[in-house]
Structure formats: C-alpha cells, structure tokens
Amino acid sequence: MNRIIVVTSGKGGVGKTTTTANLGAALARLGKKVVLIDADFGLRNLDLLLGLEQRIVYTAIDVLADECTIDKALVKDKRLPNLVLLPAAQNRSKDAINAEQMQSLVEQLKDKFDYIIIDCPAGIEAGFRNAVAPAQEAIIVTTPEMSAVRDADRVIGLLEAEDIGKISLIVNRLRPEMVQLNQMISVEDILDLLAVPLIGILPDDQKIIISTNKGEPLVMEEKLSVPGLAFQNIARRLEGQDIPFLDFMAAHNTLLNRIRRRLLGG
Amino acid sequence: MILELIERLFSRSGKNSGEDARRRLKLVIANDRSGLSPEMMEEMRREIVEVVSRYVEIDPGEMEFSLESDQRMTALIANLPVRRVRRTKAKSEAQES
C-alpha cells in the first residue's frame, strides 16, 4: 500500500519545504522508496533544500509535454538511493499545470514508490488545489504564530471539503522559553484550536538554517541533532510506530528559568 | 539608567501575550469557520434580540453573543438574561438595543 501525502500550510514560510525534504530523506533512510514532488511551479525550492539544484535536467512540465519519460525527469539523490525528486519548472507560472495533470503525474509514479510526498505552494489558489488533488492524506505545517494558525485552520477546512480524511499536524519553530513565559501560543492551545492529531513538534533551531545552506537535510547527518531527531521521529510515526514526543519544555525548566519566571511574574 | 534596567527587568509588557493570542485566535477562527461577516453577525444579533424581546424583557447590559468553535464544530452561543416575562406579547419592536 503506497501513500500519497500533501504537505501544506496556507501561510508561506512556515517550513513546508524543509519538512518535505526531511521527511522524504528520513523515510528513505528507513528503507522506504520515496518520491518528492515539488508542486510549487515558478517558485521551486525543494531542489535547493535537497542540494539537487545542479542536477535538474527535465521537469514535470517536460513529462506532461511528452518531451521525456517520467523516469528521466526524476532526480536521484546519490546519498540516498531510495529518494528521488520530481522537480517543478522554474520558468513557468502556477497556471502551467492543472489538477488533472498533477493527478496523471502521480498516477505514473504510484506503483513504483511507497511514499509520494507533494510539497504544496503557499496560498489556497490554483497551486494549492493542484497539489491537493491527487493526495490521500495531508500534513499541515504551522508555527505558534496567530497568522499561521489561522491559515492552517482555513486549510484544514478546505481539505475536509476535499474529502482528505487523514490530516495530521506539525508545529514548527516552537520556542519553549517563550511558551513558558506565556508569551507564545502553546502546542496544546494549537491542538485545541485546530482539532487535528499532532504528528510532530520542531524547535526553533538555527541548525535548520545551516542545513538549508548546505543542501543537506538534517536527518542525513551522522549524529542526529535535536531537530534532526524530531524529523526522524515524525517519519517513524508516519510508519505507524508509537514514538513519544521530545519534551522541549522540560529542557527549559531549569533553575535559572524558574527564577526568571518568578522574577518576571510569568 | 539603573532605574531603567530594573524597569525593563520587571517590565509587564508582553507578559501573557500568549494568552491574548489564544483568545483572539479562538474568536477569529470561529468567525472564519462560520463564514459570517461582522455585519451579518450584528444583524443576526439584532434580529434575535428583537424576536426574544417580544416575549421577555432582556437585560441588554448582561447580554452575550458569540460564535465558539470546539472540535471543528461551530456553535452560536447567546446568553440573554431575562429581567421579566411579558404578560402579553409585545406588538412593537424591541425596546432594548
């Protein structure tokens, strides 16, 4: 049974592409055959995060125009033999493709992979509808910011209308020290508001930026960092394993922080 | 200078802003989900009060009217405290509001 998952958020810049890259790499490391589809036509970035930007020859548009076979367009990751990328075209707009074409691309890939993960563009317009059309499941990425949570709620409503039954949530860029001072919406608050099951929490960590700079997903590192481990745990949960959530709050409940809270009256 | 430092250390601004965010989000999400504009909400509130006022006298000061969302179900919560029950159905429009 393969799985077709769209990674979406509504708001831009919350970490959809980073999540797609890391989950793809983590699942490939678990021995699953994974294809990542960049559905952000005109503003592609998944190639950069995977460090594959120099290796793109053909894109999804060439496949649809019968300029090449789909196997030829797939970019293989030399570090992870189980991971491939179907790039979006960069010199076209979001209107370069429609929902049926997206579905036909997924149809051609379906039998060759365990996971088909679609990186959705921001917004709720045509690009979103295209990315969602072939999906059976959705992963919503949000951050503990009001605009991101509100947009996530809107997107969940749209996904439910599209009959996407399985929706799970990733809370990205959590800052435990701010939550503890009651200066940030907590994960519990977000779950209470959005009412979809949680599949992962990621801390706000500069290692994520560094990994983007290098084009090397965190989960590929020899010794996993905290955010790398968090991504790997999400992949395991997707695989149905029961992995407890990392407790970022406990790490911040140090004596110094307790004193600070007492002083600031938080 | 030192006073300023102490003030900053004990500054209350931004304190509990997480709570503000949670409260504001709850409201805005409930409104987003209902698809009702603030104008339509206000009109609905006015009409409901008008109908109810024909039968009972309600306390406009204590009245609450809001949309709430829980587990992706949206509910209209109206709390209309009754001052007294009218003997006969009032013919005219609402006296209050």
Side-chain angles (χ1 to χ4, degrees):
Chain A
M1 243 299 273
N2 55 22
R3 295 171 69 178
I4 306 165
I5 306 174
V6 63
V7 178
T8 184
S9 68
K11 189 178 181 301
V14 296
K16 280 182 298 295
T17 306
T18 309
T19 300
T20 307
N22 276 284
L23 286 189
L27 286 163
R29 273 172 53 120
L30 291 175
K32 298 289 155 185
K33 287 178 74 68
V34 184
V35 57
L36 304 180
I37 301 181
D38 192 342
D40 205 345
F41 286 80
L43 291 170
R44 74 171 182 216
N45 278 320
L46 187 53
D47 51 339
L48 271 183
L49 268 59
L50 290 164
L52 298 176
E53 72 275 11
Q54 296 298 329
R55 310 225 346 256
I56 296 175
V57 183
Y58 298 105
T59 69
I61 294 290
D62 300 313
V63 178
L64 290 169
D66 275 330
E67 304 270 330
C68 72
T69 63
I70 199 152
D71 288 323
K72 251 186 150 171
L74 295 176
V75 183
K76 290 168 192 64
D77 194 316
K78 283 175 185 154
R79 300 158 295 187
L80 286 169
N82 281 337
L83 184 67
V84 301
L85 165 72
L86 179 62
Q90 177 68 353
N91 57 352
R92 301 292 193 84
S93 76
K94 294 203 181 3
D95 311 318
I97 187 167
N98 61 36
E100 290 77 49
Q101 289 174 317
M102 192 59 115
Q103 252 156 344
S104 93
L105 288 173
V106 170
E107 198 60 41
Q108 293 178 57
L109 295 166
K110 225 161 87 176
D111 300 327
K112 298 172 194 156
F113 295 92
D114 299 311
Y115 281 87
I116 296 165
I117 306 180
I118 306 165
D119 184 23
C120 182
I124 51 173
E125 297 81 25
F128 166 80
R129 288 197 297 274
N130 291 345
V132 167
Q136 303 158 338
E137 308 173 34
I139 292 178
I140 307 276
V141 183
T142 192
T143 65
E145 287 159 278
M146 297 194 55
S147 46
V149 176
R150 183 193 196 178
D151 290 2
D153 185 74
R154 186 91 171 86
V155 164
I156 293 167
L158 293 171
L159 291 172
E160 283 175 344
E162 293 280 325
D163 266 340
I164 294 201
K166 198 169 175 203
I167 303 174
S168 36
L169 184 75
I170 292 178
V171 179
N172 191 13
R173 294 212 196 103
L174 188 77
R175 295 178 62 172
E177 77 284 4
M178 284 190 79
V179 174
Q180 238 150 20
L181 289 169
N182 204 0
Q183 285 170 344
M184 185 174 255
I185 319 166
S186 68
V187 175
E188 291 74 22
D189 287 341
I190 296 172
L191 290 177
D192 190 38
L193 286 161
L194 298 182
V196 290
L198 182 72
I199 197 165
I201 309 170
L202 290 152
D204 190 17
D205 194 315
Q206 55 193 29
K207 289 190 195 77
I208 295 175
I209 297 170
I210 296 167
S211 106
T212 311
N213 295 345
K214 292 196 284 192
E216 186 181 300
L218 286 162
V219 294
M220 286 186 186
E221 285 173 350
E222 202 65 36
K223 190 178 178 301
L224 284 183
S225 59
V226 173
L229 185 63
F231 274 123
Q232 191 182 276
N233 284 350
I234 297 172
R236 288 182 186 278
R237 286 184 202 114
L238 274 175
E239 276 289 284
Q241 296 180 31
D242 189 13
I243 313 278
F245 290 95
L246 298 174
D247 191 356
F248 302 112
M249 302 305 286
H252 275 270
N253 203 12
T254 57
L255 184 64
L256 190 73
N257 277 320
R258 282 210 296 275
I259 293 169
R260 228 172 62 200
R261 277 209 305 285
R262 185 67 57 82
L263 272 177
L264 293 171
Chain B
M1 169 76 175
I2 291 172
L3 205 70
E4 196 180 293
L5 198 79
I6 291 171
E7 207 167 58
R8 195 181 300 166
L9 190 69
F10 289 94
S11 166
R12 302 241 148 190
S13 71
K15 189 201 156 206
N16 293 345
S17 69
E19 181 56 36
D20 291 342
R22 200 187 62 82
R23 187 179 42 74
R24 290 175 57 208
L25 260 175
K26 210 176 158 107
L27 267 176
V28 80
I29 282 178
N31 277 310
D32 285 355
R33 284 182 194 164
S34 74
L36 279 174
S37 67
E39 296 81 48
M40 278 170 74
M41 269 291 284
E42 178 54 29
E43 199 179 324
M44 180 167 69
R45 189 193 67 84
R46 207 175 41 72
E47 286 182 24
I48 288 175
V49 169
E50 193 181 304
V51 171
V52 175
S53 298
R54 285 184 208 150
Y55 299 90
V56 293
E57 193 179 303
I58 50 185
D59 185 346
E62 294 293 307
M63 207 164 66
E64 283 176 73
F65 204 83
S66 65
L67 283 170
E68 278 176 28
S69 270
D70 191 35
Q71 299 298 307
R72 309 210 66 77
M73 284 279 289
T74 303
L76 171 69
I77 312 284
N79 187 0
L80 310 172
V82 175
R83 264 200 205 132
R84 66 181 181 87
V85 178
R86 296 190 197 281
R87 286 278 166 77
T88 52
K89 184 178 159 187
K91 285 187 204 89
S92 62
E93 296 204 320
Q95 292 161 345
E96 279 89 20
S97 84

